[in-house]
Amino acid sequence: MSTMKTPRRLMLGLLSAGLMALLMSCGGGGGGSASNLGLGTGTAIGDGPSGTGTGSGGDSTGSGTGTGTGGSGDTASNGNTDGSGVGSGGTGVTADAAGIGAADGLGSIILNGLRYDTDTATITIEDATALQIGMSARVAGKVDPDFTRGIATQVVSAAELRGAVSRIDVGTGSFVVMGISVSIDAATVWADANGLASVVDGSLIQVWGLPGAPGTLRATRVQTAPTLTAPLVTGAIQNLDATNRTFMLGQLTVSYGGASFAGIDASSLANGVIVRARGTAAPLGSAFTATKVEGWYAIPVSNGIALQLAGVITDFASRGAFEVLGTPVDATNAQITGGPVGSLGNGVKVEVDGFMSGGVLVVKKLRIRHVPGTGGPASFTLIGAIGSYQSPAYFRVQGQPVDASGPGTVFENGTAANLANGQRVTVVGDRVLDGVLIAQRVTFTTP
């Protein structure tokens, strides 16, 4: 875990009227248990000395406790049983929110199209030195009623796969790592390659992605020359054998008898639960010895929690009954964009925003991101000041290399001649190749 920011007290004035309305109307619901367990943390928000609070992170059962006091201040602490990282306490009321998906922008963090302010967030990154576009992540905090802005209290990110690649099929956009079948789409970020055709069979790669059906993963970021080498595999548990202490992840049989646990314990293992299994030695055939088993990103289930999920649809029965990341979804009354309603079905990648009710995510907004055989929109956003400027073909924003030299790049409120170190911009692009965001639009902004 390589980076941390220490939460600090916010002035109450930072919260907008719309956010306060949500806080007063959508307080965290009753307790529940999460099928995928993970980390939690707490932070206190208040407007004076009495606006204090404490929170404890989710333990191995995903539980947490929170206390808080405050005059007119709001206290956000982990008072839920789902490890969501926020709760209620003191005299204020908070609205819990969690987002799980892939980072599609930086400038704080943009997850599933929603920008979260991370000024007071605790940020924990594994398997990389910093959060980058395409990395899977979980954000806990608060959002407004329309899912247009949020305030993060916690950001957690880790890779899903690291191991030798095999069965590369450029035509279908698929490959296998550690027994998991991986697929790509137009939104897959290539950290150090120009696409799947550049990947060498048998080489070590690292993948961030979103689990779909058991044994499958949709890659959101691929690194072909990772600095870490210890094997890592993520997926939904199948064929759990508690007696012999084994389970299957895809085609891999994982032995966990000597493993340590984080964010989950051995008694909580069950078929369908998504876990990360880490080891020190590559699999021997289809057998893998785990030295550590981690709970994947916790998906809260308490009533009233605002939840954003990105993933591939499974178990599709109708618009009102399918699953994303193993969570039941009802999109009967959702606003649907990005494609025709009739294209919804198994294998379609979507982003869903809504509120939990009775263990079901009741969706307010659904964005179709990829339809197999058809494709879908991909968009990445950077917000910040230009650095390391060399030319329109190379500069950085939020540490991310950008190429804005293409003939189709549109400039707003300025021209390419205005690009310079320190100039604040918003950059939007549709692909990342060899680690460089190919800009479609550059908008010059003021501080």
Side-chain angles (χ1 to χ4, degrees):
M1 300 184 181
S2 57
T3 63
M4 293 285 290
K5 288 186 181 178
T6 304
R8 63 176 183 271
R9 183 172 300 173
L10 287 173
M11 295 300 293
L12 191 60
L14 288 177
L15 301 176
S16 68
L19 182 58
M20 285 302 296
L22 177 64
L23 300 183
M24 296 302 295
S25 63
C26 301
S33 63
S35 61
N36 300 319
L37 308 174
L39 302 172
T41 189
T43 184
I45 300 174
D47 63 345
S50 60
T52 61
T54 62
S56 65
D59 61 16
S60 61
T61 64
S63 66
T65 58
T67 62
T69 61
S72 58
D74 299 328
T75 303
S77 64
N78 188 9
N80 297 307
T81 58
D82 48 41
S84 63
V86 288
S88 61
T91 60
V93 179
T94 67
D96 292 343
I100 298 171
D104 46 21
L106 302 174
S108 290
I109 179 177
I110 302 172
L111 189 82
N112 307 340
L114 190 152
R115 186 182 183 189
Y116 291 86
D117 186 324
T118 56
D119 284 351
T120 59
T122 298
I123 301 178
T124 306
I125 310 296
E126 289 189 273
D127 308 305
T129 57
L131 187 69
Q132 296 172 303
I133 289 177
M135 288 184 180
S136 66
R138 182 187 190 277
V139 178
K142 298 180 287 292
V143 297
D144 68 6
D146 293 321
F147 292 91
T148 58
R149 65 180 294 266
I151 297 176
T153 57
Q154 181 191 46
V155 179
V156 178
S157 178
E160 274 64 47
L161 295 173
R162 187 167 53 243
V165 61
S166 64
R167 287 184 260 172
I168 299 170
D169 189 330
V170 176
T172 62
S174 65
F175 54 92
V176 173
V177 176
M178 297 279 288
I180 302 295
S181 179
V182 183
S183 60
I184 64 172
D185 59 34
T188 300
V189 171
W190 295 93
D192 51 4
N194 201 36
L196 187 54
S198 301
V199 179
V200 178
D201 189 80
S203 62
L204 181 69
I205 69 171
Q206 182 164 290
V207 181
W208 290 261
L210 303 171
T216 68
L217 187 83
R218 180 63 56 87
T220 56
R221 184 180 176 93
V222 178
Q223 186 178 11
T224 62
T227 55
L228 302 176
T229 60
L232 161 67
V233 60
T234 300
I237 291 175
Q238 295 177 284
N239 300 326
L240 175 67
D241 184 342
T243 301
N244 293 309
R245 299 179 73 82
T246 64
F247 55 77
M248 293 191 71
L249 297 180
Q251 300 301 309
L252 203 64
T253 298
V254 179
S255 298
Y256 65 89
S260 62
F261 288 82
I264 194 170
D265 59 25
S267 64
S268 300
L269 297 178
N271 288 328
V273 172
I274 302 174
V275 295
R276 288 184 177 92
R278 297 179 182 269
T280 56
L284 183 61
S286 61
F288 177 61
T289 300
T291 56
K292 186 176 185 180
V293 177
E294 300 173 345
W296 199 62
Y297 305 122
I299 299 178
V301 298
S302 299
N303 288 340
I305 288 180
L307 183 62
Q308 273 198 308
L309 297 178
V312 175
I313 291 176
T314 59
D315 300 314
F316 183 85
S318 68
R319 177 175 171 178
F322 58 91
E323 292 190 357
V324 175
L325 298 180
T327 300
V329 174
D330 180 356
T332 302
N333 298 313
Q335 173 190 345
I336 297 178
T337 58
V341 174
S343 66
L344 292 176
N346 288 331
V348 175
K349 188 169 77 171
V350 295
E351 296 170 350
V352 288
D353 307 339
F355 296 87
M356 292 300 295
S357 177
V360 176
L361 177 58
V362 180
V363 177
K364 184 172 184 177
K365 296 180 180 180
L366 182 151
R367 295 173 295 282
I368 297 171
R369 289 306 188 197
H370 182 82
V371 178
T374 301
S379 182
F380 306 101
T381 303
L382 301 172
I383 302 172
I386 292 174
S388 304
Y389 180 80
Q390 296 179 14
S391 70
Y394 187 89
F395 56 91
R396 291 176 181 262
V397 178
Q398 298 292 343
Q400 170 64 48
V402 177
D403 181 353
S405 65
T409 304
V410 174
F411 292 88
E412 298 177 346
N413 302 329
T415 69
N418 298 114
L419 295 172
N421 286 331
Q423 177 68 254
R424 294 191 62 83
V425 293
T426 297
V427 180
V428 177
D430 65 346
R431 56 209 161 102
V432 179
L433 300 176
D434 285 317
V436 178
L437 176 64
I438 310 303
Q440 296 173 296
R441 184 174 70 252
V442 178
T443 303
F444 293 90
T445 61
T446 55

